[in-house]
Amino acid sequence: MPSVPPASPAVSQGQVRPAALARPLVLLFAIAAGISVANVYYAQPLLDALAADFGIATASAGVVVTATQAGSTLALLLLVPLGDLLPRRALMLWQAAALALCLLALAASASVWTLLAGMLAAGMLGTAMTQGLISYAAALSAPSQRGSVLGTVQSGVVIGLLLARVVSGALADLGGWRLVYVCSAALIALLGAALARTLPPSPAPAAVGGYLRLLGSMGGLLRHDRALQLRGVLALLMFAVLNIFWSALVLPLSAPPHSLSHGAIGAFGLVGVIGVLGGARAGSWADRGLAQHATGAALLLLVAAWWPLSFTDTSLWTLAGGILVLDIGAQMIHVTNQSLILRTRPEAHSRMIGCYMMFYAVGSGAGALAGTHMYAYAGWNGVCLLGAAVSLAALCWWAATLKLMPRQVTAA
């Protein structure tokens, strides 16, 4: 059995090649992906409320976010590959129904263990739906429009995860953290109804043997693809940096002298929208052979961002500026990572993205736990020192491994 089997064609013989996907359907995919991915991020502005309700120590509050990220990792390993074996339309509808029920159970959690189990399930199903919708949109789109379609859907994902913190904080201010998950369950149920009415059948899945063989091929990619390994570790460190910051931020902002509401804390996520727009240009730089130059600049921004962020206790303006620099750097790294990874193995792009996102999930979960622990023991200054240290480690990793990147994916 080969470790990375060749991909089967997306459309089998006798099938008609897909026509151009209508704009309203593309927008539905983008909205659905944004709503799905938001469930992985709702908990971040709620950590202090969850800790108070369930008696979780401040140092351990990040375990809630870690549970959702663990669910994301399991989804990438076990659920996302199902799109290559099962009809995607039915798979999306079943996942939407399961996610709605999971969110209602999460809202009714009565113990720490049911809370963590609910977060784990929400992370699994939210991630599976998001990645499944992306591959579904790609399968339905014509080759001439596929890049545009995927760009639109990915924009929905980014906006969804950024707005998740704002919506979560605002709803928590109105009715507590449980209201967040009740409203999300209702929204997912409405989304499932809309998808049931709108989604057309997708082309036959391009299965690579059976389910176990498909999973095994992902392990082969992780073992043998040098670009995936090097840029994956860079992604792990970068996403750890982001979650060190975002998971710990609620703690100083909810305490004196700021004493901000959950809604106000979540609103800082809107600054990240500008960062997304700035980081998006890294894709065009990568197309011109400047991916490594863009990566180096982005990593310097990631390190530099922690200086203004260190003044959070005294100035919310410097906090906003630091968030902007941090998100621009992170988005540039994320875009160039994907650009470099997807220049290899075109027959395995979906599995490559799945493997890459596993690095993201591990880094996010570890960063969330490390950030809240550091805040408990050393305050906000300790968080900033930790974030700067991990950012510097990412810069050193990139510099040390630059010559090890496969020649066809290094910058010109």
Side-chain angles (χ1 to χ4, degrees):
M1 180 186 298
S3 58
V4 185
S8 302
V11 182
S12 61
Q13 289 184 349
Q15 284 187 305
V16 179
R17 293 178 68 83
L21 204 59
R23 186 66 179 173
L25 186 55
V26 176
L27 293 177
L28 175 62
F29 273 111
I31 293 168
I35 291 172
S36 300
V37 78
N39 291 284
V40 185
Y41 295 90
Y42 283 140
Q44 286 188 347
L46 308 176
L47 292 184
D48 58 335
L50 291 168
D53 266 16
F54 291 93
I56 303 173
T58 300
S60 301
V63 72
V64 174
V65 176
T66 301
T68 61
Q69 297 300 334
S72 294
T73 304
L74 290 174
L76 294 169
L77 285 169
L78 304 176
L79 298 183
V80 173
L82 289 174
D84 287 335
L85 297 175
L86 304 176
R88 289 190 174 96
R89 184 179 185 277
L91 184 61
M92 288 299 97
L93 298 181
W94 278 109
Q95 288 178 347
L99 180 56
L101 292 174
C102 162
L103 292 169
L104 288 176
L106 180 55
S109 297
S111 71
V112 172
W113 296 111
T114 55
L115 172 71
L116 295 179
M119 291 293 179
L120 181 76
M124 285 186 68
L125 293 166
T127 299
M129 275 200 69
T130 302
Q131 300 302 322
L133 286 162
I134 292 171
S135 62
Y136 198 165
L140 289 175
S141 60
S144 61
Q145 65 163 173
R146 189 161 295 147
S148 173
V149 168
L150 291 177
T152 301
V153 178
Q154 289 284 5
S155 296
V157 173
V158 174
I159 292 172
L161 66 89
L162 289 175
L163 292 182
R165 302 181 183 104
V166 182
V167 172
S168 177
L171 287 175
D173 287 342
L174 288 175
W177 69 267
R178 296 180 191 273
L179 180 63
V180 175
Y181 293 100
V182 171
C183 291
S184 182
L187 188 58
I188 290 293
L190 290 174
L191 173 63
L195 294 176
R197 290 175 57 88
T198 309
L199 288 181
S202 63
V208 186
Y211 179 61
L212 293 180
R213 182 172 181 177
L214 194 68
L215 298 185
S217 72
M218 295 176 70
L221 291 171
L222 287 169
R223 287 193 303 272
H224 302 303
D225 192 281
R226 179 63 61 85
L228 178 61
Q229 293 167 353
L230 298 181
R231 301 301 291 205
V233 171
L234 189 61
L236 185 152
L237 294 170
M238 180 267 289
F239 283 114
V241 168
L242 287 182
N243 279 269
I244 286 169
F245 171 73
W246 284 110
S247 295
L249 181 63
V250 64
L251 301 173
L253 292 188
S254 61
H258 300 305
S259 300
L260 298 181
S261 67
H262 290 104
I265 295 170
F268 279 99
L270 293 175
V271 178
V273 174
I274 304 173
V276 170
L277 297 176
R281 290 193 59 83
S284 61
W285 295 334
D287 290 339
R288 289 155 45 196
L290 300 174
Q292 299 292 4
H293 295 79
T295 301
L299 287 165
L300 290 173
L301 288 177
L302 213 64
V303 174
W306 289 98
W307 181 73
L309 292 176
S310 68
F311 293 99
T312 294
D313 287 339
T314 57
S315 173
L316 296 181
W317 288 107
T318 57
L319 169 62
I323 291 174
L324 180 60
V325 175
L326 190 74
D327 279 355
I328 289 176
Q331 288 301 320
M332 288 175 64
I333 295 167
H334 190 36
V335 170
T336 53
N337 277 351
Q338 291 181 313
S339 173
L340 292 174
I341 289 169
L342 295 181
R343 290 187 191 181
T344 62
R345 301 185 186 275
E347 78 285 356
H349 276 178
S350 61
R351 284 168 284 157
M352 293 283 280
I353 287 294
C355 292
Y356 170 75
M357 293 302 289
M358 282 188 272
F359 286 99
Y360 147 80
V362 173
S364 296
L369 199 57
T372 53
H373 269 80
M374 181 58 76
Y375 185 83
Y377 292 113
W380 184 249
N381 287 336
V383 171
C384 291
L385 287 173
L386 176 63
V390 179
S391 300
L392 186 60
L395 177 62
C396 293
W397 171 263
W398 168 76
T401 61
L402 186 58
K403 293 183 179 180
L404 298 178
M405 283 290 290
R407 182 172 300 176
Q408 67 269 27
V409 296
T410 54

